[in-house]
């Protein structure tokens, strides 16, 4: 089917329940909007909002969207299908005043056949009602509105159903790839039709390399699966280093004329898991260096621009990740497309809840009736993405339900696990099935304290372990019968033990704490049954406010999340503006991706004080050696390094060499007195220098500096340019303590869509032109408005020299 984007020229209205037929009257003041759109990110946060800390104290919304749709005369007699990639909230879609669809899952895409509801002699009015006022409805920031793309599919009388052209690698033998192509063909007329479907495979550079066709006869108003086996030799694998993508085009020919066509990208690759050999991609062993992420795009809220999705994958790749877990729901197609292009493995998760909820108004209210529809639409939509290696049927679904291992009732989690797993396998037998299991109370602490002494003790304790009450083990044994890979959330200490107790079990660390990274990765590498480690989280996110907070007051951490004005989770390796945090640099060291040491400082104000951490927190160290007014105060200088030794110099004076290898978990701390100047760390291995790092004290901020992520971008509507705004001193050095209030302005063919910082407690709106710098930085995001030319961004602040930057849109 032909596919046309419908993102432009919508209107929206914030309004409670109303009669749709009256909404076109002049009494309503509609606002113009182009999609994607998140209405919540525009609204003020408040501590009294019932969404609470989970959704970042954000407001709920009740919205109406409206679009005038004028259809081309050439489309008469064809089939018209609307596709909504995602609407956050309970959605109702009306065409010309008639209700044509309802949808209850904010993360799943859905299709609506509007062929019989439109007219060609007049304009058509599409109205979408979005209801998301009942709070809390999520455990993290969700947003509200039509926050992903909208498309119109136009197909012939006999057409290929959207999302239903699939390619599967059936086998690879002797350098030959055996493929199976399946297309669901729909006959919309009231008579039998015969024809030919032609399959053409194209290389990455658009050269035709394979062609085959199949004759078919389809009954009146019938849907029919047409399958064809293809053999491709030679071929190129899709993998994380060379993510080679082919294109397949299917064309329906009836009466010697083209009736319909569809195309999709795909990759040829194999995956397998084994408790002894681990995970293999294309037959080669690979440990998954993974991270969990939520769907939001930081300062953009949940608005899903293609460039924002692509940038997330770029940031993850640049920080050494080769896999990502989509928590806890399907993501936008643009994100998966980027994973395909850039070589990122994906665990795509369907649900955070099943029939039992975690907050009052979450998806559990609709799960019983709609789980199958949502699961099926996700697999059908995403089937061809080679990046997806596992489907996760649920995250920590034991919340709010019993885990009696003898329970086989219709509402038992074991019954539901079997039901979901079998449904997934019926739709896609080519991928692995997992689920993330959370902690439940058990009695193995004494056992694991001994296990840490070594494998020999593990073997000696096998019989004793069998008589220890192991509730989690019993629960996981029954729950995981239908899983190919068992996801362990925060259960690193079980890896070694479970390798012996459950010799056929394949484990993935689906969530782990960032601060225990060294242990997490060590256990992952040492246990063949563990295929990877996924930190919570790889990129920070909105909501679950203060999950990763640190305090000098124990009482501040009594609640799970932070009190208002906390907004960010504050636990990501990468902050919401895309900057690496100290834990990310430590990960570089542990994973062997960084040879140079890395210096961070615990500020003098924190020295000697007892720090209280949430489990997802990182110690409050900073990449700065500038602390005005703290001269002569004690300070702790932390060095991360994968070496034998490290030596620290303060203003040229050595503070001595110290061991900094595996025995110290690649960390070393020097206690000294703060004196402005230069600190330098030198790492040694086998007595030879292998790298060094340096920080110096900066002066007062005198100017702003602008750094766009690119100088040339697409003029197509919705492309984004990310521009860093940095305070610098007279020598051009970044001033981390600068907190000046800045103002930005965009002129030309760009539009400012967000101005943000990574301040986890800021109450400043992302949609403003003004903002305070946080740790010397801010981020402006400028959108292409669909015109060729150039835009200029100017930034200025009181007491600082301003700056400007030009970006071309071609």
């Amino acid at each position: 089917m032909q596919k046309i984007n419908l993102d432009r020229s919508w209107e929206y209205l914030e309004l409670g329940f109303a009669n749709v037929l009256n909404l076109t009257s002049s009494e309503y003041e509609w606002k113009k909007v182009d999609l994607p759109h998140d209405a919540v990110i525009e609204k003020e946060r408040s501590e009294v909002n019932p969404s609470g800390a989970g959704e970042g104290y954000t407001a709920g919304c009740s919205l109406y969207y409206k679009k005038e749709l004028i259809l081309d005369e050439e489309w008469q007699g064809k089939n018209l299908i609307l596709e909504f990639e995602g609407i956050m909230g309970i959605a109702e879609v009306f065409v010309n005043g008639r209700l044509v669809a309802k949808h209850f899952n904010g993360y799943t895409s859905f299709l609506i056949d509007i062929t019989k509801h439109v007219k060609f002699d007049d304009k058509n009015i599409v109205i979408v009602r979005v209801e998301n006022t009942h709070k809390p409805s999520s455990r993290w920031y969700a947003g509200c509105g039509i926050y992903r793309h909208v498309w119109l599919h136009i197909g012939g009388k006999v057409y290929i159903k959207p999302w239903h052209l699939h390619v599967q690698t059936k086998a690879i033998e002797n350098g030959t790839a055996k493929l199976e192509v399946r297309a669901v063909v729909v006959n919309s007329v009231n008579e039998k039709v015969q024809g030919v479907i032609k399959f053409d495979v194209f290389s990455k550079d658009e050269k035709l390399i394979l062609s085959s066709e199949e004759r078919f006869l389809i009954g009146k108003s019938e849907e029919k699966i047409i399958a064809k086996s293809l053999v491709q030799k030679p071929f190129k694998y899709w993998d994380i280093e060379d993510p080679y993508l082919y294109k397949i085009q299917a064309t329906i020919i009836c009466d010697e004329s083209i009736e319909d066509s569809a195309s999709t990208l795909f990759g040829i690759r194999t995956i397998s898991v084994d408790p002894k050999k681990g995970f293999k991609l294309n037959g080669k062993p690979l440990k998954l260096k993974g991270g969990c992420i939520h769907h939001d795009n930081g300062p953009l809220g949940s608005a899903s621009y293609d460039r924002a999705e692509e940038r997330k994958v770029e940031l993850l790749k640049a920080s050494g990740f080769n896999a990502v877990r989509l928590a806890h729901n399907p993501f936008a197609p643009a994100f998966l497309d980027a994973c395909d292009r850039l070589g990122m493995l994906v665990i795509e998760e369907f649900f955070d809840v099943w029939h039992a909820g975690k907050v009052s108004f979450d998806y559990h209210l609709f799960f019983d009736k709609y789980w199958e529809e949502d699961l099926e639409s996700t697999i059908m939509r995403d089937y061809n993405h080679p990046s997806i290696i596992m489907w996760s049927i649920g995250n920590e679904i034991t919340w709010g339900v019993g885990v009696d291992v003898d329970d086989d009732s219709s509402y038992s989690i074991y019954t539901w696990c079997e039901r979901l797993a079998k449904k997934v396998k019926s739709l896609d037998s080519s991928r692995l099935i997992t689920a993330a299991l959370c902690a439940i109370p058990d009695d193995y602490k004494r056992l694991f304290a001994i296990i840490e002494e070594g494998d020999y003790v593990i073997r000696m304790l096998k019989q004793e372990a069998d008589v220890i009450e192991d509730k989690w083990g019993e629960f996981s044994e029954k729950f995981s019968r239908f899983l190919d890979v068992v996801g362990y959330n925060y259960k690193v200490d079980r890896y070694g033990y479970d390798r012996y107790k459950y010799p056929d079990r394949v484990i993935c660390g689906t969530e782990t704490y960032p601060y225990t990274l060294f242990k997490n990765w060590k256990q992952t590498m040492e246990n063949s049954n563990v295929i990877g480690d996924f930190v919570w989280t790889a990129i920070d996110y909105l909501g679950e406010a203060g999950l990763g907070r640190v305090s000098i007051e124990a009482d501040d951490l009594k609640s799970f999340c932070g009190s208002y004005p906390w907004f960010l989770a504050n636990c990501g390796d990468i902050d919401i503006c895309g900057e690496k945090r100290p834990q990310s640099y430590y990960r570089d060291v542990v994973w062997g991706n960084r040879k140079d040491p890395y210096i961070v400082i615990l500020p003098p104000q924190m020295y000697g004080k007892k720090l209280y951490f949430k489990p997802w927190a990182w110690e409050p160290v900073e990449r700065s050696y500038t602390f005005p007014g703290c001269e002569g105060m004690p300070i702790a200088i932390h060095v991360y390094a994968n070496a034998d030794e490290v030596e620290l110099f303060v203003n040229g004076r050595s503070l001595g060499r110290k061991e900094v290898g595996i025995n110290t978990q690649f960390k070393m701390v020097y206690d000294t007195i703060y004196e402005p100047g230069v600190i330098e760390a030198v790492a040694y291995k086998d007595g030879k220098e292998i790298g060094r790092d340096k920080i110096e004290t900066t002066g007062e901020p005198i100017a702003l500096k602008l750094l766009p992520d690119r100088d040339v971008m697409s003029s197509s509507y919705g492309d984004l340019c990310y521009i860093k705004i940095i305070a610098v001193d007279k020598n051009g050095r970044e001033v981390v303590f600068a907190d000046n209030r800045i103002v930005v302005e965009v002129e030309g063919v760009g539009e400012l869509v967000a101005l943000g910082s990574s301040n986890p407690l800021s109450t400043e709106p992302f949609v403003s032109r003004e903002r305070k710098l946080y740790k010397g930085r801010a981020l402006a995001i400028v959108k292409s408005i669909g015109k060729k030319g150039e835009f200029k961004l100017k930034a200025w602040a009181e007491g600082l020299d301003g700056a400007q930057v030009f970006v071309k849109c071609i």
Side-chain angles (χ1 to χ4, degrees):
M1 302 185 84
Q2 183 183 359
K3 187 177 180 180
I4 297 174
N5 183 270
L6 297 182
D7 287 350
R8 305 298 302 273
S9 303
W10 288 74
E11 297 175 282
Y12 80 104
L13 184 68
E14 186 165 358
L15 183 69
F17 193 85
N19 187 329
V20 171
L21 297 176
N22 295 334
L23 289 177
T24 55
S25 68
S26 58
E27 68 176 287
Y28 297 106
E29 296 182 5
W30 293 82
K31 299 178 182 178
K32 295 182 182 297
V33 68
D34 293 321
L35 306 180
H37 179 236
D38 174 11
V40 171
I41 207 68
E42 304 168 359
K43 301 172 75 66
E44 184 177 354
R45 297 192 302 123
S46 169
E47 61 187 325
V48 301
N49 281 333
S51 62
E55 296 181 66
Y57 303 99
T58 51
C61 279
S62 181
L63 304 168
Y64 284 90
Y65 289 87
K66 180 177 69 173
K67 182 175 178 63
E68 293 184 359
L69 186 61
I70 300 176
L71 302 177
D72 194 311
E73 287 293 330
E74 295 180 358
W75 299 344
Q76 286 213 53
K78 293 184 178 294
N79 288 276
L80 306 175
I81 297 176
L82 280 178
E83 176 184 352
F84 290 90
E85 286 188 2
I87 302 176
M88 187 52 65
I90 299 171
E92 296 174 294
V93 182
F94 301 83
V95 176
N96 296 326
R98 179 178 295 178
L99 177 65
V100 295
K102 295 182 180 183
H103 194 72
F104 300 91
N105 190 321
Y107 297 103
T108 54
S109 302
F110 60 103
L111 301 167
I112 310 170
D113 190 331
I114 61 171
T115 307
K116 297 179 180 179
H117 305 295
V118 297
K119 48 195 176 184
F120 284 84
D121 56 353
D122 197 0
K123 62 186 178 184
N124 297 274
I125 304 296
V126 177
I127 290 180
V128 180
R129 180 171 185 265
V130 186
E131 178 61 57
N132 197 2
T133 52
H134 294 83
K135 296 294 178 182
S137 61
S138 175
R139 294 193 298 118
W140 53 84
Y141 178 87
C144 181
I146 309 178
Y147 72 110
R148 294 180 186 165
H149 297 310
V150 179
W151 304 91
L152 178 64
H153 297 262
I154 305 108
K157 295 178 181 178
V158 178
Y159 64 90
I160 298 168
K161 192 175 181 179
W163 305 344
H164 284 73
L165 173 60
H166 295 161
V167 183
Q168 181 182 348
T169 303
K170 300 294 286 186
I172 294 177
E173 300 173 355
N174 302 320
T176 299
K178 297 181 179 180
L179 310 176
E180 182 181 76
V181 184
R182 296 185 303 276
V184 175
V185 176
V186 180
N187 179 12
S188 65
V189 297
N190 198 27
E191 61 183 21
K192 292 181 180 180
V193 175
Q194 60 181 355
V196 173
I197 184 167
K198 183 181 179 185
F199 297 109
D200 294 319
V201 177
F202 298 86
S203 65
K204 199 170 186 176
D205 55 1
E206 293 290 329
K207 292 181 180 178
L208 179 64
I209 57 176
L210 184 62
S211 186
S212 182
E213 57 183 52
E214 185 83 6
R215 303 195 69 84
F216 67 85
L217 175 66
I218 187 169
K220 59 182 181 180
S221 305
E222 182 186 1
E223 280 192 14
K224 187 172 188 175
I225 298 175
I226 300 177
K228 184 74 174 176
S229 295
L230 302 178
V231 176
Q232 189 161 327
K233 182 178 182 179
F235 72 91
K236 292 195 69 172
Y237 279 110
W238 181 96
D239 63 33
I240 58 176
E241 301 301 330
D242 183 13
Y244 194 91
L245 293 170
Y246 293 93
K247 183 178 83 171
I248 187 165
Q249 180 168 304
T251 305
I252 293 177
I253 301 170
C254 298
D255 297 326
E256 298 185 349
S257 63
I258 294 176
E259 186 66 26
D260 195 48
S261 67
S263 65
T264 183
L265 298 177
F266 71 96
I268 299 174
R269 58 104 180 97
T270 63
I271 56 174
S272 65
V273 290
D274 181 273
K276 301 296 183 184
K277 299 177 182 178
F279 173 81
K280 288 185 178 181
L281 177 65
N282 302 326
K284 298 177 182 178
L286 179 70
K287 289 286 188 179
L288 302 180
K289 296 178 176 177
C292 304
I293 62 172
H294 271 307
H295 76 293
D296 73 72
N297 285 304
L300 294 169
S302 60
S304 179
Y305 292 89
D306 290 2
R307 172 57 188 156
E309 305 294 352
E310 178 184 61
R311 181 173 176 264
K312 283 192 288 195
V313 183
E314 290 176 349
L315 293 170
L316 293 168
K317 288 283 287 189
S319 289
F321 291 95
N322 62 24
V324 62
R325 173 176 171 239
L326 309 186
H328 300 289
N329 38 260
F331 273 34
F335 180 86
L336 297 169
D337 291 342
C339 290
D340 292 344
R341 287 195 309 273
L342 300 174
M344 179 68 67
L345 300 175
V346 176
I347 300 175
E348 184 163 26
E349 200 154 65
F350 298 118
F351 307 114
D352 182 50
V353 294
W354 292 351
H355 62 285
K358 295 178 182 176
V359 296
S360 299
F361 300 102
D362 63 19
Y363 182 70
H364 82 279
L365 298 173
F366 312 105
F367 174 81
D368 288 17
K369 188 173 183 179
Y370 296 105
W371 71 269
E372 198 166 10
E373 173 186 317
D374 288 326
L375 187 152
E376 183 169 348
S377 65
T378 300
I379 291 178
M380 293 299 101
R381 189 198 73 174
D382 297 340
Y383 190 94
N384 291 316
H385 290 288
S387 56
I388 300 175
I389 57 172
M390 281 188 265
W391 302 113
S392 173
I393 59 176
N395 171 65
E396 298 184 341
I397 49 76
T398 52
W399 285 28
V401 297
V403 290
D404 186 342
V405 294
D406 296 322
D407 184 7
D408 286 311
S409 66
S410 61
Y411 271 93
S412 162
I413 59 172
Y414 310 110
T415 303
W416 274 109
C417 182
E418 179 181 8
R419 190 175 295 150
L420 270 68
K422 286 183 175 179
K423 180 64 178 180
V424 172
K425 283 297 185 185
S426 72
L427 297 170
D428 180 11
S429 61
S430 69
R431 289 182 174 90
L432 306 166
I433 298 178
T434 188
L437 279 60
C438 69
I440 63 171
D442 46 26
D443 184 20
Y444 58 81
K445 290 183 179 178
R446 174 177 169 272
L447 175 66
F448 291 131
I450 300 172
I451 281 177
E452 290 179 358
E453 296 178 13
D455 288 351
Y456 175 76
V457 181
I458 292 175
R459 288 191 289 272
M460 294 293 291
L461 284 174
K462 279 185 67 179
Q463 288 186 333
E464 182 180 352
D466 290 338
V467 301
I468 292 176
E469 185 180 11
D470 185 1
K471 295 178 182 178
W472 194 90
E474 294 175 11
F475 147 68
S476 67
E477 188 172 18
K478 185 169 183 180
F479 188 89
S480 63
R481 286 179 301 168
F482 305 100
L483 305 178
D484 301 305
V485 177
V486 185
Y488 280 36
N489 282 10
Y490 312 109
K491 288 289 188 181
V492 175
D493 288 333
R494 287 202 69 113
Y495 292 173
Y497 173 57
D498 284 1
R499 193 173 87 203
Y500 291 93
K501 186 170 183 180
Y502 308 108
D504 296 327
R505 179 178 294 183
V506 178
I507 296 169
C508 183
T510 38
E511 284 182 33
T512 57
Y513 299 122
Y515 201 67
T516 57
L517 164 61
F518 180 85
K519 180 177 74 172
N520 304 342
W521 192 242
K522 184 173 183 290
Q523 290 295 312
T524 300
M525 293 299 293
E526 290 179 352
N527 291 285
S528 61
N529 59 327
V530 181
I531 64 173
D533 177 70
F534 288 74
V535 66
W536 190 271
T537 57
I539 301 176
D540 206 17
Y541 57 99
L542 312 181
E544 282 197 307
L547 180 73
R549 63 196 187 279
V550 180
S551 177
I552 59 174
E553 299 290 340
D555 287 348
D556 290 346
L557 272 65
K558 284 185 175 180
S559 59
F560 183 74
C561 289
S563 58
Y564 183 83
W566 273 98
F567 190 16
L568 312 184
N570 202 49
C571 62
D573 272 29
I574 300 166
D575 70 26
I576 65 163
C577 293
E579 302 294 340
K580 288 166 69 77
R581 301 172 73 209
Q583 66 201 61
S584 181
Y585 289 98
Y586 179 61
R587 186 176 304 278
D588 292 341
V589 171
V590 172
W591 280 352
N593 297 333
R594 181 184 176 92
K595 293 183 178 179
D596 292 327
Y598 190 75
I599 303 171
V600 286
I601 316 293
L602 185 69
Q605 301 91 331
M606 307 292 286
Y607 184 89
K609 295 182 179 179
K610 186 171 183 179
L611 299 176
Y612 296 90
F613 287 65
K614 295 299 288 185
W616 297 270
W618 194 263
E619 54 201 345
V621 291
E622 298 181 6
R623 178 67 172 178
S624 172
Y625 192 58
T626 305
F627 304 102
C630 295
E631 293 78 7
M633 294 176 62
I635 195 170
I637 301 173
H638 295 233
V639 182
Y640 308 148
N642 185 350
D644 297 332
E645 294 179 309
V646 69
E647 185 174 12
L648 188 73
F649 296 86
V650 177
N651 292 326
R653 184 179 72 258
S654 175
L655 300 189
R657 290 193 186 190
K658 295 186 178 183
E659 181 184 359
V660 72
I662 291 177
N663 292 336
T664 69
Q665 299 189 7
F666 303 135
K667 292 180 180 180
M668 183 46 60
V669 179
Y670 285 84
D671 295 296
T672 187
I673 301 300
Y674 175 58
E675 55 180 86
V678 179
I679 54 175
E680 191 165 17
V682 181
Y684 303 91
K685 186 163 284 190
D686 298 325
K688 296 180 180 180
E689 179 183 330
I690 60 169
R692 58 177 59 209
D693 188 29
K694 181 174 70 173
I695 308 180
E696 55 187 332
T697 305
T698 62
E700 293 291 323
I702 67 162
L704 294 175
K705 183 178 181 180
L706 305 179
L707 297 174
D709 65 341
R710 48 197 175 149
D711 298 322
V712 179
M713 61 188 287
S714 172
S715 61
S716 299
Y717 166 78
D719 196 13
L720 302 178
C721 182
Y722 287 77
I723 303 172
K724 296 179 184 179
I725 304 171
I726 304 171
V728 296
D729 68 6
K730 64 181 181 180
N731 295 318
R733 299 172 301 189
E734 185 173 345
V735 182
V736 175
F737 65 84
D739 62 355
N740 307 68
R741 176 166 293 280
I742 60 168
V743 182
V744 300
E745 183 177 87
V746 176
E747 299 175 357
V749 295
E751 176 187 343
L752 180 72
V753 288
L755 178 65
S757 77
S758 60
N759 185 350
L761 295 124
S762 175
T763 59
E764 298 173 295
F766 291 126
V767 293
S768 172
R769 291 177 51 238
E770 299 184 20
R771 189 175 199 91
K772 289 186 71 174
L773 296 173
Y774 178 67
K775 295 186 178 180
R777 290 191 172 216
L779 179 72
I781 306 175
V782 179
K783 175 176 68 176
S784 169
I785 61 173
K787 297 180 180 179
K788 292 184 178 181
E790 184 178 66
F791 73 78
K792 175 175 68 174
L793 182 136
K794 299 189 296 183
W796 62 93
E798 185 177 350
L800 303 181
D801 292 339
Q804 61 185 28
V805 67
F806 294 87
V807 176
K808 293 181 179 179
C809 298
I810 61 172

